Amino acid sequence: MKRLLRLLQWLLKAAVFFTLFAFALNNQQETRLNFFFSTYWAAPTVLVVLSAFTLGVVVGVLGMVPRWWRERQAVKKNTPPVSPAHTTEMTDGA
């Protein structure tokens, strides 16, 4: 059963890859992105879309960093350090 799920995962990954690859091949025409003061950037459409996606991911991660930092600091403040000997006792299910 595990093997079948792993195979399905790889098939899904391959399908996503080939779909994105086909998208990239079908969108090679030049796109012009206009900025302020008559400046522009001319690049293939797929590059513009990929850049916008990457910028969105970067902005999203940077927006989450302060919250992660506060939660990490709160966890460090409220919980004492656990030694490796205690972790095995806690995970025995007792």
Side-chain angles (χ1 to χ4, degrees), residues 1 7 23-24 40 47 53 64 80 89 93:
M1 187 67 174
L7 176 67
F23 174 77
Y40 65 90
L47 190 59
F53 176 75
M64 294 172 65
E89 293 173 4

Side-chain angles (χ1 to χ4, degrees), residues 20 23 27 31 33 41 43-56:
L20 293 174
F23 174 77
N27 290 294
T31 300
L33 193 61
W41 178 45
T45 304
V46 68
L47 190 59
V48 172
V49 171
L50 182 63
S51 299
F53 176 75
T54 304
L55 183 64

Side-chain angles (χ1 to χ4, degrees), residues 13-77:
K13 289 176 186 179
V16 168
F17 172 77
F18 285 116
T19 301
L20 293 174
F21 187 70
F23 174 77
L25 289 178
N26 287 328
N27 290 294
Q28 292 182 358
Q29 57 269 37
E30 192 83 4
T31 300
R32 184 174 165 165
L33 193 61
N34 295 309
F35 296 106
F36 299 109
F37 309 114
S38 300
T39 59
Y40 65 90
W41 178 45
T45 304
V46 68
L47 190 59
V48 172
V49 171
L50 182 63
S51 299
F53 176 75
T54 304
L55 183 64
V57 168
V58 168
V59 168
V61 168
L62 288 177
M64 294 172 65
V65 166
R67 181 179 220 170
W68 287 339
W69 184 258
R70 278 187 305 230
E71 288 178 5
R72 190 171 178 184
Q73 293 300 320
V75 167
K76 280 184 181 179
K77 226 182 256 187

